[in-house]
Amino acid sequence: MAIVAVIMNTDHTLRIYESILGLLSSEDNPTPLVRLNKVVPFEHTQVYAKLEWYNPFGAVKDRIAANMIRDAEASGHLGEGKRIVEPTSGNTGLGLAMIGNAKGYPLQTPLSKAIPLEKRTVLRFFGTEVIELDDSLCPAPGAPEGAIARAMETAKTQPDFHMLNQYVNEANPNSHYATTGPEIWKQTEGKITHFVAGLGTCGTITGTGRFLKEQRADVKVIGVYPEEGHDIPGVRSQAQLQQTKLYRPDEYDETLEATNRESFDMCLRLNQEECIIAGPSSGMALVGALKTIPDAPGTIVVIIFPDNVFKYASSFHRHFPQLCPADSQSDGTSSGPSKNDLWLAEMMENLKNPHDTIRAKDLASMVQDSKNLLLVDVRSQEIFEEGHIPQSINIPMEELGDRKKELPEDRDAPIVMVCGIGKFSKNTVLYLKSMGYRNVRSMKGGINEWVRKGHPIEPVE
Ligand SMILES: Cc1ncc(COP(=O)(O)O)c(C=O)c1O
């Protein structure tokens, strides 16, 4: 009996796909909307979560990964023999790694050591070249030693690399304008009244919000961001948002803050009470929504749940020690912090010595009064030129050793070190102290804090 070859074409209803890329979400293949029943205090208002881990590689970022690659191919930036370099908080890297694998573009991703172990390991498992750096969870804009600067450097110096740069690439919000928005409009039959999303690159809220408002201008678009110093991967605090190019608050109706505690507690409730395997930034977005949305008939809310809980197990012991038996306290390793960890922690603690840091407002008055103050900005030249404190000189951290001559002879001269978030300038204080400088401090919170407090930056935009 002859074997008849059966060709099964992509069929969303039967969920048959010719390749994994066929599973990328679109109006014909939307990610699910699920109603929340237990954790919302409403009698009338209906709240739906849009489960983005139903994307083929597990997160909302698959949408932008696919569209940024498509866009770069169309403009000739990506093609045979090219590689991708992209700084990421994890999810964009996972999407780019797999779509890059499928299309023949190997991925290199500089990222923060603070990214949960699961994400770093799975990225490597996907064949990605992972470069671990000291940076904040959602790569800090302007950090010279951070993931963004590193990727920019690679793309500038190595021609076979192309950086898609999700933080400024319009293909990011455009992917949501083309997919997430139309999906939600179709799934709610145009009855949506409120759209809510957590804020990271702001691609999700800007693209989806733009589409929904074009359908009906009175759809409320609400953005939720975490408190300063948070540890929710993928999202940005108010200070970081100030330097996020795709952050367009004039296109949103409201933005509001959720604390770390509130967000992780809501994440736990979503898993335990709603039985929805949502990740921490989903908890954050829901907490924000519940702070502002009214309980009223006809109110239909859709909240983006970007990814699921499984990528965060190793970081939960910080927030839910009760969930982790004593002997599994440290990240993935069994018996707690090593002697080296304790020693390093003590050293970093010493660095917290208040005399070694200066607040932005105190520095502002010092800049005015002091004639011989030396202000050293240790970020990269490129980022320094984008915006820096007037009167500051630029000596990138890695050049400090070679450019000692530019530092004052007088070891008691007042020196203040500055960086993006005030983390690395602290290390340079230690370095200058080892050179004998006695009056050297680091500006607390870095340029982010200086900008947040409204102090002047040059060049003036
Ligand atoms: C887990 C998680 N939540 C929220 C976001 C924010 O999405 P967007 O970058 O579109 O603002 C991201 C983005 O990386 C994310 O990974």
Side-chain angles (χ1 to χ4, degrees):
M1 185 184 73
I3 304 271
V4 179
V6 178
I7 303 293
M8 297 200 289
N9 294 319
T10 291
D11 179 331
H12 291 306
T13 44
L14 293 176
R15 297 192 65 74
I16 301 171
Y17 301 93
E18 285 184 27
S19 95
I20 188 66
L21 297 185
L23 255 174
L24 283 163
S25 42
S26 65
E27 219 177 327
D28 303 332
N29 178 39
T31 53
L33 280 189
V34 176
R35 181 149 183 204
L36 303 181
N37 302 297
K38 303 278 175 47
V39 297
V40 291
F42 299 134
E43 195 186 335
H44 305 289
T45 295
Q46 297 176 34
V47 181
Y48 292 85
K50 191 161 176 61
L51 311 186
E52 289 295 303
W53 54 87
Y54 279 78
N55 277 293
F57 312 116
V60 66
K61 292 291 180 169
D62 295 356
R63 297 174 187 267
I64 79 163
N67 200 41
M68 290 195 300
I69 289 178
R70 207 178 289 126
D71 194 60
E73 287 175 326
S75 62
H77 286 103
L78 273 182
E80 195 150 347
K82 290 289 275 188
R83 305 171 63 184
I84 298 173
V85 58
E86 183 71 18
T88 169
S89 66
N91 282 333
T92 305
L94 295 169
L96 286 175
M98 284 310 225
I99 299 170
N101 283 351
K103 292 191 163 201
Y105 308 125
L107 174 69
Q108 180 192 91
T109 183
L111 50 67
S112 159
K113 284 183 189 144
I115 297 282
L117 183 67
E118 293 84 345
K119 284 186 176 172
R120 288 178 275 139
T121 308
V122 174
L123 274 168
R124 289 194 171 94
F125 191 76
F126 286 178
T128 301
E129 185 193 350
V130 174
I131 300 170
E132 297 191 12
L133 300 164
D134 289 317
D135 197 348
S136 55
L137 271 172
C138 195
E145 50 312 301
I148 297 175
R150 179 63 174 265
M152 283 171 149
E153 188 62 23
T154 303
K156 202 169 74 187
T157 54
Q158 301 179 46
D160 59 339
F161 275 100
H162 177 61
M163 176 176 172
L164 297 162
N165 198 347
Q166 61 173 324
Y167 301 97
V168 299
N169 192 331
E170 290 297 333
N172 175 349
N174 292 348
S175 70
H176 294 286
Y177 181 89
T179 61
T180 322
E183 288 173 36
I184 291 171
W185 188 251
K186 189 172 174 189
Q187 287 170 306
T188 61
E189 295 159 348
K191 298 196 187 76
I192 181 173
T193 58
H194 296 73
F195 171 70
V196 184
L199 303 179
T201 66
C202 296
T204 306
I205 191 169
T206 301
T208 313
R210 193 177 293 158
F211 178 87
L212 293 172
K213 278 196 177 287
E214 277 177 13
Q215 312 316 304
R216 218 187 51 244
D218 65 357
V219 174
K220 293 274 176 284
V221 174
I222 298 165
V224 185
Y225 56 85
E227 65 180 324
E228 301 302 334
H230 69 97
D231 67 345
I232 304 172
V235 288
R236 286 184 162 182
S237 66
Q238 192 49 237
Q240 290 176 322
L241 286 170
Q242 297 316 314
Q243 302 188 41
T244 303
K245 289 241 168 21
L246 300 172
Y247 176 55
R248 304 195 173 127
D250 50 352
E251 294 183 26
Y252 323 146
D253 295 279
E254 188 179 359
T255 61
L256 59 163
E257 184 175 287
T259 69
N260 227 29
R261 187 73 266 159
E262 288 170 325
S263 307
F264 278 93
D265 287 350
M266 182 56 86
C267 174
L268 187 69
R269 291 192 62 199
L270 281 167
N271 283 268
Q272 292 191 348
E273 297 171 41
E274 293 282 358
C275 309
I276 291 183
I277 56 172
S281 71
S282 305
M284 181 200 76
L286 177 55
V287 165
L290 297 182
K291 287 185 181 180
T292 184
I293 290 174
D295 185 5
T299 304
I300 305 276
V301 182
V302 172
I303 307 179
I304 298 289
F305 279 15
D307 68 357
N308 66 35
V309 76
F310 299 121
K311 293 178 197 145
Y312 304 101
S314 73
S315 60
F316 276 156
H317 71 264
R318 273 198 304 277
H319 301 282
F320 307 109
Q322 75 278 18
L323 296 180
C324 310
D327 66 354
S328 68
Q329 285 300 314
S330 57
D331 280 7
T333 58
S334 65
S335 56
S338 68
K339 225 180 323 71
N340 275 356
D341 294 345
L342 292 174
W343 177 75
L344 194 60
E346 193 202 328
M347 232 237 335
M348 294 309 278
E349 205 46 48
N350 294 342
L351 267 178
K352 290 200 186 97
N353 166 343
H355 303 301
D356 285 336
T357 57
I358 181 169
R359 291 175 307 170
K361 82 176 174 58
D362 300 333
L363 178 62
S365 35
M366 207 178 159
V367 167
Q368 255 144 26
D369 314 341
S370 150
K371 291 289 159 280
N372 66 343
L373 165 68
L374 181 65
L375 203 43
V376 183
D377 188 318
V378 296
R379 299 173 301 159
S380 71
Q381 188 189 351
E382 205 159 355
I383 294 172
F384 177 80
E385 278 153 10
E386 267 183 25
H388 54 265
I389 300 175
Q391 268 174 247
S392 57
I393 65 164
N394 179 217
I395 307 180
M397 190 163 90
E398 59 280 7
E399 296 172 20
L400 263 175
D402 308 337
R403 295 173 57 183
K404 290 191 189 75
K405 288 188 290 317
E406 295 169 47
L407 300 172
E409 289 288 313
D410 169 8
R411 290 298 190 261
D412 289 311
I415 303 175
V416 172
M417 310 303 283
V418 175
C419 74
I421 54 176
K423 200 164 162 195
F424 298 97
S425 53
K426 257 195 242 164
N427 298 350
T428 61
V429 167
L430 208 61
Y431 181 61
L432 264 70
K433 284 198 165 188
S434 71
M435 292 156 64
Y437 287 97
R438 288 179 284 275
N439 183 3
V440 54
R441 285 180 284 176
S442 155
M443 184 176 73
K444 214 173 162 100
I447 293 279
N448 282 356
E449 187 63 11
W450 180 269
V451 173
R452 210 163 69 85
K453 287 285 186 316
H455 298 296
I457 281 279
E458 65 183 21
V460 180
E461 280 181 348

